[in-house]
Amino acid sequence: MVREISIFRNQEEGSVLIVALIMLVVLTLLGISITKTSEVEVQVAGNERIYRQDLYAAEAAALIGAQTLANTSNLEDNPPTWLFPFPSGVTQSNITNDTDPIWTNAQSVTGVPNASFIVVGEGVASFASLDMTRSTVYQYTIYGRYLDSRGRSIVKVGYRMAY
């Protein structure tokens, strides 16, 4: 009986090595795939960070444009170059075209490089009171833009002002 056991033992000597090599190959492939997945996730996170930075810079330009509009006096008699009074003829295709001449009149934002804004007058605001004893409410659209080598972000903000 001892002899039979030794015969079986002699026939199985290399099987542990083969199983170990197969497991090593499987673990190596698993490690490579996890590494590639993490590389893609890092790239996605980097792109998301860049997108948010560009969006926030464009939003800052639009909000600074609103503040500048609110602080600017005498809009009707002497409009600034960044203000396109009603009717302006500015369309969505003008806004999204980086080489359109309207962006040459844009106001640069101090402290935010590559950020600028323009303001488009929309006329008297809808549902505004036409009472002669009250101020007239005018509606504006403010576009904040951030443009650099990574891409372009444009934020559109509605703004109403009475004067």
Side-chain angles (χ1 to χ4, degrees):
M1 193 119 164
V2 175
R3 235 178 183 182
E4 290 179 22
I5 294 174
S6 65
I7 291 174
F8 288 122
R9 193 185 254 172
N10 288 338
Q11 292 176 352
E12 295 179 4
E13 284 182 3
S15 64
V16 172
L17 180 62
I18 292 173
V19 170
L21 287 175
I22 290 173
M23 290 300 290
L24 185 62
V25 168
V26 168
L27 290 174
T28 302
L29 292 176
L30 183 64
I32 290 171
S33 68
I34 289 172
T35 302
K36 292 294 182 186
T37 302
S38 66
E39 286 176 9
V40 170
E41 291 296 323
V42 167
Q43 288 175 347
V44 167
N47 289 339
E48 179 70 19
R49 181 183 53 82
I50 290 169
Y51 164 77
R52 286 183 186 272
Q53 285 176 341
D54 293 355
L55 178 67
Y56 293 152
E59 183 181 25
L63 294 177
I64 290 171
Q67 187 65 46
T68 304
L69 180 64
N71 293 339
T72 303
S73 60
N74 201 9
L75 289 173
E76 291 180 348
D77 297 334
N78 190 17
T81 58
W82 46 263
L83 174 62
F84 294 88
F86 180 79
S88 62
V90 175
T91 64
Q92 192 67 31
S93 62
N94 296 116
I95 299 299
T96 57
N97 185 356
D98 294 330
T99 59
D100 197 280
I102 64 165
W103 287 111
T104 59
N105 294 332
Q107 176 69 38
S108 296
V109 176
T110 306
V112 185
N114 303 322
S116 57
F117 68 87
I118 59 172
V119 179
V120 179
E122 304 292 336
V124 176
S126 58
F127 304 109
S129 173
L130 297 178
D131 185 355
M132 297 301 281
T133 61
R134 296 179 142 190
S135 298
T136 305
V137 178
Y138 293 92
Q139 185 166 327
Y140 298 93
T141 303
I142 302 168
Y143 294 94
R145 179 180 79 158
Y146 182 76
L147 180 67
D148 71 353
S149 62
R150 300 177 299 196
R152 164 181 36 108
S153 292
I154 297 176
V155 173
K156 177 181 177 181
V157 176
Y159 186 78
R160 290 184 176 193
M161 186 164 76
Y163 55 92

